Amino acid sequence: MSDLYSSCEQCPRKCRADRNINTGFCGEKKQIRIASACLHFGEEPLITVFGGSGTIFFTGCTLRCSFCQNYQISQKGMGREVSKEEFVKICLDLQKAGAENINLVTGSHVIPLVAEYLKACREDGVTIPFCWNSSAYETVESLELLKGLVTIWLPDLKTLNSEVSKKLFAAEDYPEVASKAIAWMIKNNPLTVEEHKGIDRETGKKTSKEKMTQGVIIRHLFLPGRFEDTAMTLQWLKENADEKAVISLMSQYTPVPFDEDEKELERRRKALEVIENRLVSEEEDEDLRDIIEAYDFSFLYYQDLCQDTEWLPDFKRLQPFSNALAKPVWHWTFEK
């Protein structure tokens, strides 16, 4: 494992940092660090189903999204190292708590080690599916390491505009890299959805719901003022993913009250000039509904417009989310 990180090329940046000693562009050394694990009820219905998605938030990230709601862990290093044994225990605890799957959020910078840990999970009794939740800024070669371990894929397709990705994510090649990664995910993971019976969390009544056990859900977040970029992305999805994957169009863009020094805040403000850093308007919401109706996707989720900021996470808290959205199981401040 050490040799893989001595001149790191694990992500498309190929920063060649010696992550045995120093941090790479991702902000991390070679170890796995995580910030939170919880039952998450705010993910797409196909993966939350009855028990919620057993979500594990990794520390570090290969992108520099200027609007990142999880910036405390993706860019500021909040979290702590976990051993293979502790990681397995977290997954077993999520499974025991009723999780429908283990949802691995933003682990692209530690894929080789994640693959090793997931194999240990299977050996030690984790039977529920693994879900890979990422920006899709990953090489196909690295994703091959997860083949046969991960069966549910939850990538973003943030933009196909290289100028936007250069300014917002510090990754001009994001469109090319992400589209290749997502095409690989679709090719290797045919959509499998089954009916499952259980107790509805809100009504307390027995019912049946659809559950994804294999396949791809592609997320796209509408960026205020960038309607043409979303239209471009939806066109790509119609041509390359319709009937093969589920599309999830999100309208939850929310300005984040970053807790940073003035220099960093100015850097963010400058990057965010490429969009309109505000909540999505009702007019934009109507336009988005019109365009998805015109495309007539076979499988598509679209969020109801939400114009508040109460749902934004704070990973300093043992419960980073609202009680309605998540049930905490593990936190980075817990003792080893």
Side-chain angles (χ1 to χ4, degrees):
M1 192 64 65
S2 296
D3 290 340
L4 289 174
Y5 294 105
S6 60
S7 180
C8 190
E9 296 185 355
Q10 293 303 303
C11 88
R13 293 192 186 276
K14 301 186 185 301
C15 72
R16 296 184 174 83
D18 185 351
R19 288 175 58 195
N20 298 298
I21 304 170
N22 304 308
T23 57
F25 181 93
C26 58
E28 295 298 302
K29 295 183 180 179
K30 66 177 182 178
Q31 296 84 3
I32 283 181
R33 298 201 307 138
I34 64 176
S36 175
C38 62
L39 295 178
H40 203 307
F41 302 99
E43 306 283 46
E44 285 77 4
L46 283 174
I47 61 171
T48 55
V49 200
F50 298 105
S53 186
T55 309
I56 297 176
F57 291 88
F58 288 78
T59 304
C61 187
T62 59
L63 291 184
R64 284 287 185 273
C65 296
S66 298
F67 52 81
C68 182
Q69 67 188 44
N70 295 343
Y71 79 102
Q72 294 167 311
I73 62 175
S74 64
Q75 299 171 18
K76 298 301 177 184
M78 189 176 290
R80 72 163 169 84
E81 181 182 348
V82 293
S83 65
K84 184 192 300 183
E85 292 72 23
E86 187 173 11
F87 185 88
V88 171
K89 183 179 184 305
I90 291 167
C91 291
L92 286 169
D93 286 347
L94 287 167
Q95 180 172 273
K96 185 177 180 181
E100 304 283 355
N101 46 70
I102 302 296
N103 187 338
L104 306 159
V105 182
T106 319
S108 307
H109 52 292
V110 282
I111 286 178
L113 202 53
V114 169
E116 181 183 323
Y117 282 23
L118 297 189
K119 290 174 185 176
C121 286
R122 286 286 183 247
E123 292 169 358
D124 287 2
V126 177
T127 59
I128 55 179
F130 291 114
C131 171
W132 189 252
N133 185 336
S134 77
S135 68
Y137 192 62
E138 300 152 326
T139 66
V140 168
E141 291 76 16
S142 66
L143 294 177
E144 286 281 352
L145 298 176
L146 299 173
K147 194 173 182 179
L149 294 167
V150 171
T151 57
I152 301 172
W153 301 78
L154 197 57
D156 293 337
L157 186 53
K158 296 176 181 291
T159 184
L160 292 175
N161 186 326
S162 59
E163 286 301 311
V164 170
S165 67
K166 179 180 180 180
K167 293 176 181 177
L168 283 183
F169 316 141
E172 187 174 5
D173 61 345
Y174 175 85
E176 178 184 0
V177 169
S179 56
K180 284 182 179 179
I182 290 171
W184 179 92
M185 294 174 191
I186 293 172
K187 179 181 178 181
N188 288 280
N189 298 274
L191 192 60
T192 305
V193 177
E194 303 168 350
E195 286 285 334
H196 282 252
K197 294 182 180 180
I199 305 297
D200 186 270
R201 182 169 171 263
E202 294 183 359
T203 66
K205 297 180 179 179
K206 290 183 179 180
T207 186
S208 63
K209 292 184 179 182
E210 290 185 326
K211 177 178 179 176
M212 177 184 282
T213 55
Q214 178 177 277
V216 183
I217 301 175
I218 306 166
R219 289 172 165 174
H220 173 69
L221 175 66
F222 171 69
L223 301 175
R226 305 297 308 194
F227 191 84
E228 290 183 2
D229 287 358
T230 286
M232 186 193 315
T233 302
L234 290 175
Q235 180 64 39
W236 188 93
L237 291 170
K238 183 66 179 179
E239 295 172 358
N240 295 279
D242 194 23
E243 299 184 351
K244 304 173 187 175
V246 176
I247 311 304
S248 181
L249 180 57
M250 303 184 295
S251 58
Q252 67 182 32
Y253 182 91
T254 306
V256 176
F258 294 101
D259 181 15
E260 298 175 312
D261 61 39
E262 187 56 36
K263 182 179 179 180
E264 184 65 13
L265 289 173
E266 180 57 30
R267 184 197 67 79
R268 288 190 187 275
R269 282 194 289 265
K270 188 173 181 180
L272 287 167
E273 288 175 357
V274 73
I275 63 172
E276 296 176 19
N277 189 29
R278 55 170 173 76
L279 294 170
V280 175
S281 70
E282 292 183 3
E283 181 180 358
E284 286 170 325
D285 179 61
E286 292 175 3
D287 288 342
L288 288 169
R289 290 177 183 275
D290 287 342
I291 194 171
I292 58 176
E293 184 176 344
Y295 274 117
D296 191 28
F297 285 98
S298 296
F299 311 105
L300 181 139
Y301 288 113
Y302 182 64
Q303 290 179 319
D304 290 331
L305 186 64
C306 179
Q307 294 183 306
D308 68 58
T309 62
E310 295 300 316
W311 60 271
L312 286 172
D314 182 355
F315 289 91
K316 294 193 297 290
R317 302 191 309 241
L318 295 180
Q319 166 58 298
F321 302 91
S322 71
N323 290 330
L325 275 180
K327 180 180 178 182
V329 171
W330 184 96
H331 191 261
W332 66 276
T333 61
F334 290 0
E335 292 185 6
K336 296 182 181 181

